[in-house]
Amino acid sequence: MLTKGGCPKNMLSIRDALEALEGRWKMLILFSLSTGPKRFGQIAKEVTGISDRMLSKELKNLEANKLVKREIYSTFPPTVEYTITAHGRSLENVMDALHYWGLAHRKKIMGK
Amino acid sequence: MLTKGGCPKNMLSIRDALEALEGRWKMLILFSLSTGPKRFGQIAKEVTGISDRMLSKELKNLEANKLVKREIYSTFPPTVEYTITAHGRSLENVMDALHYWGLAHRKKIMGK
């Protein structure tokens, strides 16, 4: 592991990352936005299982953490779109690592 | 991102990974065990802020997911030690990615 002695400074960085990404939804929302800007309803459809209330809460949190940008277009009626920021895109390595580990874990636990 | 079209199969692997690692404690416990086998009290001390009840619950969950092994030694009184498994160690890439991203995130959000 990266530890080489479990230095508390590393612990802090991992704590920070886990706090910003806490829960099972944020990464999935970012994953959905990684293919392009989307409206609320589109995200809700792609992230199966999430309630509107939870999606709204998570989007606000992601915005506060500068991972997602909310843009209002002055069409009639106004439309709102969510875009992943460059900082959000910088999670690519984390997502890649989670993806490959998730595949291995499924094989290990469920034997498929 | 790894997506190239947000294929649902990838979504599933990320869901699996997030489910196995859910919450803010599991990765920190594994991180603590990455430097060597430890007793309950030692882990509790290193993972600051975790309650005994939560640590006990998380260790059971990590054991069920084959990430941690619990070993009882027939000393008097018996001692119990927790060890990270090879499967737990395979989270190295995820932890590395979280570590580096956590550092960048702290800089971005807190400006330090």
Side-chain angles (χ1 to χ4, degrees):
Chain A
M1 299 246 163
L2 57 87
T3 70
K4 325 267 185 239
C7 113
K9 238 187 159 177
N10 289 351
M11 213 61 163
L12 179 66
S13 62
I14 292 181
R15 267 177 200 259
D16 283 344
L18 292 177
E19 204 171 306
L21 307 172
E22 205 179 14
R24 64 177 66 194
W25 299 115
K26 292 186 189 73
M27 294 290 269
L28 299 176
I29 294 167
L30 291 172
F31 191 80
S32 155
L33 290 177
S34 70
T35 55
K38 300 215 167 93
R39 298 182 59 177
F40 188 95
Q42 287 175 288
I43 308 169
K45 210 170 158 183
E46 281 190 25
V47 182
T48 37
I50 196 166
S51 67
D52 283 359
R53 192 189 163 131
M54 176 60 87
L55 179 53
S56 168
K57 190 182 142 233
E58 294 292 54
L59 281 169
K60 267 180 201 142
N61 185 296
L62 289 168
E63 225 190 316
N65 273 311
K66 298 187 185 167
L67 298 167
V68 159
K69 219 182 141 188
R70 182 178 185 269
E71 281 174 299
I72 310 174
Y73 296 97
S74 55
T75 48
F76 183 80
T79 48
V80 176
E81 261 188 2
Y82 296 89
T83 314
I84 189 167
T85 62
H87 185 47
R89 282 203 185 275
S90 75
L91 276 165
E92 184 173 3
N93 288 341
V94 173
M95 281 211 213
D96 277 2
L98 279 173
H99 165 60
Y100 291 115
W101 189 82
L103 288 178
H105 181 62
R106 170 160 287 250
K107 223 170 171 175
K108 178 100 188 163
I109 296 297
M110 307 182 213
K112 58 180 175 179
Chain B
M1 299 243 160
L2 57 84
T3 69
K4 324 265 184 240
C7 116
K9 239 187 157 173
N10 290 353
M11 210 66 160
L12 179 66
S13 62
I14 292 182
R15 267 178 201 259
D16 283 345
L18 292 176
E19 202 171 308
L21 307 171
E22 205 180 13
R24 65 176 66 193
W25 299 115
K26 292 185 189 74
M27 293 290 270
L28 298 175
I29 295 167
L30 291 172
F31 191 80
S32 155
L33 290 177
S34 70
T35 55
K38 299 212 167 98
R39 297 180 61 175
F40 188 94
Q42 288 175 286
I43 308 170
K45 210 171 158 183
E46 281 189 24
V47 182
T48 38
I50 196 166
S51 67
D52 282 1
R53 191 189 163 133
M54 177 60 86
L55 179 53
S56 168
K57 190 183 142 232
E58 294 291 54
L59 281 169
K60 267 179 201 143
N61 184 296
L62 288 168
E63 225 190 316
N65 273 311
K66 297 185 185 170
L67 298 167
V68 159
K69 219 181 140 185
R70 182 178 185 268
E71 282 175 299
I72 309 172
Y73 296 97
S74 53
T75 49
F76 184 80
T79 48
V80 176
E81 260 188 2
Y82 296 89
T83 314
I84 190 167
T85 62
H87 185 46
R89 282 203 185 275
S90 76
L91 276 164
E92 184 173 3
N93 288 342
V94 174
M95 281 209 213
D96 277 2
L98 279 174
H99 164 59
Y100 291 115
W101 189 83
L103 288 178
H105 182 62
R106 168 160 289 251
K107 225 172 170 173
K108 177 102 189 162
I109 295 296
M110 306 182 213
K112 57 181 178 181

